[in-house]
Amino acid sequence: MAAGLAARHQVDLVECIEWVGVECLNEKSDRTYTNILKQGYREDNGLMLESDTDEQLLMYIPFNQVVKLHSLIIRAPAEEGPKTIRLFANRQNMGFGNVGDFPPSDVLTLTPEHLQGKPVLLKYVKFQNVRSLTIFVEDNQSGSEETKIQKLAIIGSTVETTNMSEFKKVGHS
Amino acid sequence: MVLEATMICIDNSEWMRNGDYAPTRFQAMADAVNLICGAKTQSNPENTVGVLTMAGKGVRVLVTPTSDLGKILSCMHGLDIGGEMNLTSGVQVAQLALKHRQNKHQRQRIVLFAGSPVAAEKKTLEAIGKKLRKYNVALDIVSFGEEDEGKQEKLDSLVNAVINNENSHIIHVPPGQAILSDVLISSSIFTGDGEGGSGFAAAAAAGAAAAALDAHGGFEFGVDPNLDPELALALRVSMEEERSRQEAAAKRAAEEAEKNQTEGGESSSQGGDIAMTDTSSAPPVLVADKGPDFMDEDTALLEQALKMSMAEAAGAASTQGAGDVPVGEGMSEDLVMALQMSMHEAAGAGGSTTTPADTDISRVLGDQSFVSSVLASLPGVDANDPSVREVLASLQEEEKRKNDSKGKDTEKQG
């Protein structure tokens, strides 16, 4: 009931992503994060993010204001779709070497339904004051060397703060 | 215009004291590092470059990635040389330094200089390479100096593990071949990434080429045309004049040589028993009287004579009979006939035509009134000068003697 109440105020946070700072490790250079995050691209199932050397992926997504996260919407192929995902709030400069060093804010285990686009609910209380989100894809459904994702949407709400990127100088004229 | 953060791993081990790259391995590498730093920071204003040393007391980061070129260059001064290169930890520290770059939009690149042997196992290197690739780091390796213990193979496998869309390169620079930085500037480390290289690289390459030229006595006249354009122009003009003068002289010399040759050809054809007495003894004045078309005809004849003398001088001289041609047994009779006929014709024509050609100059000189008029028209020459007269007289005498001897020759044969 509480979750349902919160869901009413939840929006797609694609507008809040600080694109300059987004980074994805172990992505193929021609199948990058833009294919799954950006408006338009993410709706195209042919455009995917693919892992390069092995099945792991590490995405760092900063926001241009403080946000609260509610859920993720992930769409991926049934075989190569991600399975275990670890989420970290407000951790910068993470690498594959130190993902085990910090306790994750949340651990998700995705089912085939989730990969069809069913929202994956997060521990709402853990994501109340988020400036950046790190998504670590640990393995995929089939255990193969390649992970593919077609869409990733972050659902949540903005905290009422000043968006500094909209802060402009006002002329006198 | 790739936006890039670069870490340069330099080798400051004992091996770098070796002098097989001028002036020393270390100095050669320092030059190359300066060059790369300049190229990287100028190809995009937001590019950053950092430097770390791999030998000495462990890996030491001298500068974290920065766009301040002065900071980068100054850190290279007064470096201690010593110890052994630790390639594996050097690369990993570089990767860490890149991970903590300020601007995440920058691509990551490590440039590694390896002048000493590589101690690490091939497998370890491959694992490191894979890790770099996973972290989206590109790796360029400049391998020089020591070549033993399968160093090349190890480094190749390291780069091959990293390589992703041709983003990583390795070059091996053998000693004594060229200056290290000169080799680098034309390599894919500068021009790579499929963007045709940075403008800086091109400019630097041109500069290096100019510098190399300069070192070898470079600018065309030892004068930089950019510094003194007027002097350069004057030098060039005088150079061209001199060149054309030399060309004219060469032409004249060639003509004279041709004339000598035709003379030779003539004498050899006279050796054959072809009747030509009347033509050869014809007075030169008659031909000279022919007037305006004389010159054209003369050159045409000269050409023909030359051709003939080249082809037939030997043949005509050697075949004392009526132009017998040395013919293979298999030749048909018709062909033999045709050849013989052409020989006769050529010899005949040569006999009749070479004479005027041969005596061209002497004829002109022999015409005293013409010569004296020419001399008179020349400024500063007095046709009545006794010395000039003497020369002319001697010329005429020589001409006469020549004609006489020729007449005797023909008489003998006749």
Side-chain angles (χ1 to χ4, degrees):
Chain A
M1 184 60 193
L5 197 70
R8 257 176 241 161
H9 309 287
Q10 306 308 327
V11 291
D12 191 345
L13 291 178
V14 70
E15 300 294 327
C16 302
I17 294 175
E18 183 86 39
W19 292 107
V20 180
V22 178
E23 187 184 25
C24 182
L25 298 183
N26 200 30
E27 65 180 0
K28 277 204 176 123
S29 54
D30 51 347
R31 306 257 194 285
T32 61
Y33 64 85
T34 50
N35 286 348
I36 66 163
L37 276 181
K38 292 217 169 172
Q39 198 108 50
Y41 292 0
R42 62 182 185 181
E43 306 304 337
D44 186 339
N45 283 347
L47 292 174
M48 292 186 277
L49 165 69
E50 286 180 29
S51 64
D52 187 29
T53 41
D54 56 18
E55 72 281 4
Q56 297 187 329
L57 283 165
L58 190 67
M59 290 183 76
Y60 173 73
I61 304 169
F63 298 100
N64 54 23
Q65 55 188 307
V66 179
V67 294
K68 296 179 181 185
L69 302 185
H70 175 262
S71 59
L72 296 178
I73 294 174
I74 295 170
R75 200 171 58 236
E79 286 289 300
E80 293 101 343
K83 189 177 180 191
T84 313
I85 291 182
R86 288 197 237 180
L87 299 174
F88 301 86
N90 304 329
R91 290 241 181 252
Q92 297 180 4
N93 295 320
M94 291 199 55
F96 293 103
N98 61 1
V99 282
D101 299 352
F102 311 105
S105 308
D106 199 356
V107 181
L108 311 174
T109 305
L110 301 183
T111 61
E113 292 96 74
H114 287 135
L115 297 184
Q116 303 290 327
K118 183 187 168 201
V120 192
L121 295 182
L122 309 177
K123 286 181 190 162
Y124 192 55
V125 287
K126 291 271 195 180
F127 299 97
Q128 291 296 306
N129 194 16
V130 179
R131 291 206 151 269
S132 69
L133 176 71
T134 303
I135 303 172
F136 173 53
V137 177
E138 200 170 347
D139 53 11
N140 58 25
Q141 300 285 341
S142 62
S144 67
E145 285 282 279
E146 197 168 48
T147 304
K148 293 179 181 174
I149 305 175
Q150 290 162 331
K151 177 185 176 178
L152 174 66
I154 302 163
I155 310 296
S157 56
T158 57
V159 178
E160 292 304 321
T161 53
T162 310
N163 181 359
M164 293 307 284
S165 65
E166 285 172 4
F167 196 74
K168 291 194 186 86
K169 190 179 171 187
V170 179
H172 284 291
S173 60
Chain B
M1 288 283 278
V2 190
L3 180 56
E4 226 174 29
T6 310
M7 273 308 280
I8 300 180
C9 302
I10 64 176
D11 181 357
N12 61 333
S13 63
E14 291 288 353
W15 299 93
M16 302 301 283
R17 293 189 199 275
N18 198 322
D20 51 359
Y21 296 81
T24 64
R25 279 185 195 172
F26 189 78
Q27 277 307 317
M29 184 189 65
D31 281 347
V33 169
N34 289 352
L35 204 65
I36 288 182
C37 292
K40 294 286 181 198
T41 49
Q42 287 195 20
S43 73
N44 190 318
E46 284 188 66
N47 275 3
T48 55
V49 181
V51 181
L52 64 79
T53 57
M54 293 184 289
K57 290 174 197 152
V59 177
R60 195 156 64 96
V61 178
L62 302 173
V63 195
T64 51
T66 172
S67 53
D68 183 354
L69 190 60
K71 216 170 173 182
I72 304 162
L73 298 185
S74 65
C75 79
M76 293 287 296
H77 293 292
L79 273 182
D80 293 330
I81 295 181
E84 291 283 322
M85 173 177 81
N86 192 346
L87 190 142
T88 49
S89 52
V91 169
Q92 289 177 91
V93 170
Q95 189 265 314
L96 271 180
L98 288 173
K99 196 178 108 182
H100 290 272
R101 67 199 185 281
Q102 295 287 315
N103 182 355
K104 298 286 184 206
H105 237 42
Q106 293 169 326
R107 303 226 196 115
Q108 308 165 77
R109 179 177 295 279
I110 297 174
V111 179
L112 182 94
F113 285 86
S116 48
V118 176
E121 293 291 318
K122 193 175 162 186
K123 262 191 180 164
T124 337
L125 291 177
E126 273 172 356
I128 289 174
K130 267 197 158 171
K131 193 180 159 196
L132 288 183
R133 183 174 165 164
K134 203 169 166 184
Y135 279 93
N136 298 343
V137 181
L139 176 69
D140 287 336
I141 296 184
V142 181
S143 166
F144 61 110
E146 301 303 314
E147 282 298 340
D148 47 346
E149 295 173 39
K151 177 188 176 192
Q152 183 164 341
E153 190 193 340
K154 283 178 185 173
L155 294 179
D156 278 341
S157 63
L158 173 59
V159 167
N160 284 334
V162 178
I163 208 158
N164 183 5
N165 271 348
E166 308 288 318
N167 65 351
S168 303
H169 314 277
I170 181 165
I171 52 170
H172 300 277
V173 187
Q177 179 201 26
I179 300 165
L180 187 60
S181 46
D182 284 0
V183 176
L184 283 187
I185 209 151
S186 56
S187 72
S188 42
I189 291 182
F190 272 90
T191 59
D193 293 345
E195 306 213 2
S198 62
F200 174 85
L213 260 181
D214 204 22
H216 298 114
F219 297 112
E220 206 175 351
F221 311 107
V223 173
D224 187 349
N226 299 320
L227 291 181
D228 196 345
E230 280 175 31
L231 178 59
L233 182 68
L235 284 167
R236 174 154 303 145
V237 168
S238 96
M239 178 75 173
E240 264 156 31
E241 274 172 7
E242 171 65 10
R243 202 171 287 152
S244 62
R245 197 187 64 76
Q246 280 175 354
E247 258 165 37
K251 215 183 215 171
R252 225 175 307 136
E255 265 169 25
E256 239 135 72
E258 274 173 24
K259 248 166 233 153
N260 289 343
Q261 220 170 2
T262 46
E263 227 166 298
E266 184 199 38
S267 64
S268 68
S269 48
Q270 275 179 349
D273 56 356
I274 302 154
M276 54 169 62
T277 41
D278 44 358
T279 50
S280 71
S281 60
V285 187
L286 276 178
V287 189
D289 280 348
K290 270 180 145 183
D293 61 354
F294 160 69
M295 283 309 281
D296 286 346
E297 193 189 312
D298 186 50
T299 47
L301 291 176
L302 190 70
E303 220 166 82
Q304 203 180 353
L306 183 69
K307 224 181 282 167
M308 199 209 66
S309 80
M310 300 257 261
E312 304 300 339
S318 65
T319 57
Q320 291 288 338
D324 289 344
V325 187
V327 192
E329 315 262 294
M331 271 187 166
S332 72
E333 278 202 10
D334 287 354
L335 189 57
V336 175
M337 278 284 280
L339 269 173
Q340 276 175 344
M341 275 169 73
S342 78
M343 287 283 283
H344 272 296
E345 250 172 47
S352 60
T353 55
T354 49
T355 319
D358 140 56
T359 49
D360 179 17
I361 286 280
S362 45
R363 222 186 310 117
V364 171
L365 289 175
D367 190 344
Q368 204 187 357
S369 61
F370 173 69
V371 170
S372 52
S373 73
V374 166
L375 283 176
S377 71
L378 288 174
V381 178
D382 187 2
N384 297 326
D385 191 81
S387 62
V388 173
R389 276 169 180 279
E390 206 173 79
V391 169
L392 283 176
S394 72
L395 269 174
Q396 274 173 323
E397 254 172 43
E398 204 174 288
E399 172 66 13
K400 217 174 278 169
R401 236 182 292 133
K402 217 180 193 176
N403 279 347
D404 284 351
S405 66
K406 224 177 249 175
K408 270 178 215 154
D409 267 0
T410 44
E411 269 164 30
K412 259 186 226 160
Q413 275 156 21

